[in-house]
Amino acid sequence: MSTTVITSSAANGNVSAATAAAAARTADTGLKPVTFAKALNTAMADAMALDESVLVFGEDVGVLGGVFRITDGLTKRFGNDRCFDTPLAESGIVGMAIGMAMNDMRPVIEMQFDAFAYPAFEQIASHVAKMHNRTKGRMPLPMVIRIPYAGGVGGVEHHCDSSESYYAHTPGLKVFTPATVRDAYLMLREAIDSPDPVVFMEPKKLYWSKDQVDLEALRVSHETSAVPPTEGRAAIARPGTDATLIAYGPSVSTAMAAAEAAALEGRSLEVIDVRTIVPLDDATICESVRKTGRAVVIAEAPGFASVSSEIVARIQERCFHSLAAPVLRVTGFDTPFPAPKLEKYYLPSVDRILDAVDALQWEEGA
Amino acid sequence: MTNTEARDAMEHVSSKFGITPEDYMLPARSEIHMLDVNGKLHPSGQQGVEPGHEYPLPNPKALVDAYEQLVIGRRVNDQNSALVRQGRMAVYPSSHGQEACQVAAALCLDEGDWMFPTYRDSVAVMAKGVAPMEVMAGFQGDWHCGYDPKQYKVSAQATPLTTQLLHAVGVAHAAKLRGEDTVVIAMCGDGATSEGDFHEALNFAAVFNLPVIFFVQNNQYAISVPLSQQSVAPSLAHKAVGYGMAGERVDGNDLVALLAVLGRAVRLAREGNGPLLIEAHTYRMQAHTNADDSTRYREDAEVQSWIAKDPVTRMRTYLDEAGLLPEATVERITASAEAVAKTLRDGMNSEQVPDPADIFAYVYSSPTTQMTEQAALLADELAREEDTK
């Protein structure tokens, strides 16, 4: 089995190559391309227009519109009471959001970067996650904690962490992470509507990715429940028959690029986009693996004690007799996220995914 | 966008008192007290008369009503400690000695106002109106919080120190955005003032000019660590000025002074003058909990010195000498206290058996697939146990 057909940029998991591949898959619908960032921004604006209790706050989210401009224009449109800046204190932001949710608001708060959310960890783990349970459901906390996360943008230390496992490990939190422009809109709307608190993890390398999506049509579909919910439903991002790649958030585009490359060699890979880590869609994942008999789980986070290890364990528990090979993983190394010039060696790449696919004992299975 | 609201409010309120904003924010030169240790009313010239720190005496009816709650509070503490000793209750952090603070924290509020209590504030929670056995559910080990926070406008009693102060800020902020005049009392102890969330909560409340009363019961110890190890600020109330809010110190074993100081704080906050920090000096007469041994870190002489300042005795002496405690009133108050104690005894005697299925029932608004599977496993395990009985 050879992987020499892969271009060097795609082999490094290069973002633009992956995005280009994704764009090539999308049929031209005549719509203007929309960025992932715009989809998130519009989701918040639509939710705010519909429900006065939806509030947006955090650091620099007001006049500036957020360091990634995801909240751009919300203060101007809805006023400083609905979208506003707070003092620079993450525990304060989350703690105040809890109180607001206790008092019938629906806060959507921004943690500026993944690693900057850690000062708020006590509020998240001890209260956001547990208030509903503590009070036997009498005090629900409908709130969304938006966290730009993961690497691939050449960010410095504390700006590239894949922190999803911390939240996924804490019962009481829901953890969403979209991988497409369409899902960015729909999943954020769902998160804001949810009666449960949602940690909404936004892959920052996707902020400037584009797709031809009609956000107004999506708004109507969402508000008339014409689209099925994404919560607890993984998406089959690409159907295939020979092996299953399971990915989420920033890794989906890399998995798609790998499946594209494998197809050129005549190997049909199915790509599953997990979408909501909590609740996890065991059924879709297992149905795919039972069909293909082979699986690779891909994630940027260090593999040790992670979401990827959980997915592998669950496949092994549920699909053992359908497996033709051990389930493998392509993840970040068990090291801190490296400096910008080294991240290409760390991030799961198309090449590494194809190597893992090659290692799925095809000879015995043939 | 420059935020001038908080600053304008400070200018406004201090000019009303004819003093500078700095003088308004700084606590009075000494703690506010109205009753001396023998229950005698201080001469009016010593009751807090500095400009901006004047506190009129609460009316007699308010004082007698508060005394009733004080007697009930002491009875609740004693009854619960007895139940713990008898092994009928798992744990009870007693507020014995701090009942005046407990009662004043509840009585200073209007019906629509919120309270954010700590684990030691059960008496305050009951005084706010929560049914005694609903308060006790957590200490009995049935569930974490036994009452409906929304119904009573009392948050679940906080076990992690200080995190609740930020929730209080959020409740006040939401109410303010809706144009409601809700006031929130956010309670904590002296140890909690060292936590980062204390700083963040006070700062947020001040920046957003929110009607929150931060009420610190300084009972001198955080379990075993004395205040001198937490802070070397002139007083905890002086921390207020660092946030641009007003601070005040009050004798925490003087119910009259507490009612006056907290009552005015609530009034000022409701009028839109921003948050206040009130520090009450009091003493935890008993150990931290039944699992603690306070003789390891404090001298008996110190404990004895605080017995002389007991809040119940002082208040009773004052009211009695003022002719406000006729026999009938005393009997009525004793009867209410005994009724609450009986409710607690009876409640503890009727063993509640929590449903194991509840472990899964409230984690989310509806259980995940994974939880449903785990709940089925547990149900099956219990059914098999039942079969082998």
Side-chain angles (χ1 to χ4, degrees):
Chain A
M1 199 68 210
S2 155
T3 57
T4 50
V5 292
I6 308 302
T7 65
S8 62
S9 65
N12 285 335
N14 182 290
V15 181
S16 57
T19 311
R25 281 191 312 277
T26 313
D28 191 343
T29 51
L31 288 163
K32 208 172 137 217
V34 182
T35 62
F36 195 92
K38 183 66 187 167
L40 294 170
N41 177 269
T42 308
M44 278 184 278
D46 289 351
M48 291 172 89
L50 195 66
D51 180 354
E52 280 204 345
S53 69
V54 177
L55 307 173
V56 171
F57 55 94
E59 295 157 5
D60 302 299
V61 300
V63 181
L64 180 68
V67 295
F68 291 106
R69 307 291 183 267
I70 308 301
T71 57
D72 188 34
L74 297 181
T75 299
K76 194 172 175 207
R77 178 169 167 195
F78 297 100
N80 200 45
D81 281 354
R82 302 280 311 277
C83 176
F84 56 89
D85 291 324
T86 65
L88 201 164
E90 291 77 13
S91 186
I93 295 167
V94 175
M96 184 168 77
I98 291 169
M100 286 186 152
M102 289 173 75
N103 202 1
D104 301 324
M105 293 296 191
R106 284 182 179 267
V108 181
I109 55 175
E110 178 174 300
M111 299 283 102
Q112 199 158 74
F113 281 91
D114 32 60
F116 296 172
Y118 302 151
F121 195 74
E122 184 186 16
Q123 289 289 355
I124 297 173
S126 291
H127 299 296
V128 176
K130 297 188 174 79
M131 191 71 79
H132 189 276
N133 187 64
R134 179 179 302 148
T135 59
K136 285 201 168 178
R138 290 156 170 157
M139 187 58 89
L141 290 184
M143 58 186 278
V144 180
I145 305 173
R146 294 181 38 247
I147 306 179
Y149 84 117
V153 293
V156 296
E157 197 182 11
H158 314 297
H159 293 67
C160 296
D161 282 15
S162 284
S163 46
E164 67 274 18
S165 304
Y166 301 130
Y167 307 113
H169 191 70
T170 305
L173 301 174
K174 286 182 171 168
V175 183
F176 292 12
T177 182
T180 67
V181 175
R182 183 178 186 274
D183 278 354
Y185 180 88
L186 288 175
M187 289 174 69
L188 186 50
R189 290 298 307 267
E190 263 184 73
I192 295 170
D193 289 351
S194 173
D196 299 307
V198 177
V199 178
F200 195 85
M201 315 247 355
E202 303 170 0
K204 62 177 85 72
K205 80 169 189 189
L206 296 182
Y207 276 149
W208 306 281
S209 67
K210 289 181 180 174
D211 199 357
Q212 288 176 311
V213 167
D214 183 346
L215 292 177
E216 178 55 18
L218 279 188
R219 182 189 67 78
V220 173
S221 303
H222 173 77
E223 288 172 10
T224 56
S225 303
V227 276
T230 60
E231 184 183 314
R233 297 182 197 205
I236 297 171
R238 178 188 173 106
T241 52
D242 298 338
T244 304
L245 303 182
I246 299 143
Y248 56 84
S251 299
V252 173
S253 58
T254 319
M256 291 296 273
E260 195 89 12
L264 297 176
E265 301 166 3
R267 189 166 277 163
S268 166
L269 302 184
E270 182 148 296
V271 179
I272 304 280
D273 173 0
V274 172
R275 301 207 290 195
T276 66
I277 295 170
V278 182
L280 187 71
D281 181 359
D282 283 314
T284 299
I285 293 170
C286 291
E287 194 183 326
S288 173
V289 175
R290 285 191 195 105
K291 179 181 76 178
T292 61
R294 290 178 170 83
V296 178
V297 182
I298 302 137
E300 274 189 32
F304 190 84
S306 67
V307 172
S308 66
S309 35
E310 179 63 26
I311 293 173
V312 173
R314 303 183 81 83
I315 293 172
Q316 182 272 131
E317 286 164 356
R318 288 162 173 74
C319 311
F320 184 77
H321 296 290
S322 307
L323 288 172
V327 182
L328 298 182
R329 284 185 295 163
V330 178
T331 68
F333 299 127
D334 297 331
T335 67
F337 196 87
K341 286 182 182 170
L342 295 172
E343 74 170 352
K344 65 184 176 193
Y345 304 107
Y346 173 93
L347 293 170
S349 63
V350 168
D351 211 15
R352 234 174 248 160
I353 294 169
L354 292 174
D355 284 348
V357 170
D358 283 348
L360 293 174
Q361 301 184 356
W362 299 95
E363 303 78 13
E364 291 165 41
Chain B
M1 262 182 263
T2 312
N3 167 28
T4 58
E5 184 190 331
R7 189 168 295 271
D8 292 349
M10 274 296 132
E11 296 273 351
H12 170 75
V13 67
S14 55
S15 73
K16 246 184 11 187
F17 292 121
I19 54 177
T20 65
E22 287 75 13
D23 284 340
Y24 171 68
M25 288 184 231
L26 278 169
R29 285 178 199 286
S30 58
E31 66 175 26
I32 305 298
H33 47 76
M34 295 196 166
L35 295 183
D36 71 10
V37 290
N38 300 314
K40 302 270 186 245
L41 200 62
H42 282 294
S44 61
Q46 294 172 20
Q47 288 176 10
V49 288
E50 285 173 46
H53 302 271
E54 300 101 335
Y55 293 98
L57 193 68
N59 71 57
K61 180 173 185 315
L63 294 178
V64 174
D65 289 351
Y67 175 69
E68 175 167 1
Q69 290 301 319
L70 190 68
V71 172
I72 293 172
R74 173 60 55 84
R75 189 71 187 91
V76 165
N77 279 329
D78 290 349
Q79 180 63 75
N80 283 339
S81 295
L83 287 164
V84 169
R85 280 195 303 275
Q86 295 157 16
R88 289 196 279 172
M89 184 157 51
V91 66
Y92 180 70
S94 175
S95 61
H96 188 117
Q98 301 177 215
E99 290 94 344
C101 294
Q102 297 285 301
V103 167
L107 298 189
C108 69
L109 300 175
D110 282 356
E111 204 164 317
D113 295 341
W114 275 79
M115 171 186 281
F116 281 75
T118 74
Y119 54 80
R120 199 177 301 287
D121 298 323
S122 300
V123 167
V125 173
M126 287 183 204
K128 177 90 164 71
V130 182
M133 283 317 296
E134 292 182 21
V135 182
M136 288 306 133
F139 302 109
Q140 250 182 318
D142 288 345
W143 200 260
H144 313 296
C145 175
Y147 53 87
D148 181 348
K150 283 203 163 176
Q151 179 195 341
Y152 296 109
K153 298 203 177 333
V154 178
S155 183
Q157 285 177 268
T159 312
L161 293 163
T162 333
T163 47
Q164 76 280 6
L165 302 188
L166 280 161
H167 309 167
V169 168
V171 164
H173 201 161
K176 184 185 170 186
L177 289 175
R178 283 196 298 264
E180 298 161 1
D181 70 348
T182 311
V183 172
V184 182
I185 190 162
M187 302 168 75
C188 70
D190 43 302
T193 64
S194 298
E195 292 274 5
D197 277 357
F198 179 81
H199 161 68
E200 296 189 22
L202 268 70
N203 193 44
F204 273 57
V207 166
F208 293 110
N209 198 43
L210 302 174
V212 182
I213 312 301
F214 294 97
F215 182 47
V216 181
Q217 289 170 77
N218 174 0
N219 68 11
Q220 321 295 333
Y221 290 89
I223 302 189
S224 68
V225 180
L227 180 66
S228 57
Q229 209 62 30
Q230 302 290 346
S231 174
V232 293
S235 79
L236 298 175
H238 278 81
K239 292 183 179 227
V241 72
Y243 300 101
M245 72 171 76
E248 196 69 283
R249 290 174 282 184
V250 56
D251 180 343
N253 285 17
D254 176 352
L255 184 54
V256 180
L258 282 159
L259 290 169
V261 170
L262 285 171
R264 190 182 84 145
V266 168
R267 215 159 44 241
L268 285 170
R270 204 184 307 281
E271 286 166 5
N273 299 305
L276 295 100
L277 170 61
I278 309 296
E279 174 191 8
H281 295 126
T282 182
Y283 198 78
R284 191 189 76 212
M285 295 305 292
Q286 294 173 349
H288 167 65
T289 64
N290 41 307
D292 178 35
D293 173 8
S294 58
T295 63
R296 292 173 70 103
Y297 53 82
R298 57 187 199 185
E299 299 292 331
D300 189 50
E302 183 183 284
V303 181
Q304 292 303 318
S305 76
W306 280 91
I307 290 178
K309 303 176 198 165
D310 184 76
V312 185
T313 316
R314 279 162 79 178
M315 190 65 177
R316 182 170 56 236
T317 307
Y318 166 65
L319 292 177
D320 201 26
E321 289 178 1
L324 293 166
L325 281 186
E327 193 58 33
T329 307
V330 173
E331 277 170 21
R332 176 174 57 79
I333 291 173
T334 308
S336 350
E338 285 311 314
V340 176
K342 184 172 186 313
T343 304
L344 291 168
R345 284 194 307 272
D346 292 350
M348 290 299 162
N349 284 340
S350 61
E351 180 85 1
Q352 301 289 317
V353 184
D355 182 356
D358 281 355
I359 292 172
F360 305 96
Y362 306 108
V363 183
Y364 298 100
S365 53
S366 57
T368 61
T369 319
Q370 289 78 14
M371 268 172 206
T372 307
E373 288 170 6
Q374 290 168 13
L377 278 179
L378 177 60
D380 179 56
E381 200 178 294
L382 294 173
R384 280 182 287 139
E385 240 170 55
E386 201 59 37
D387 286 347
T388 54
K389 265 183 194 168

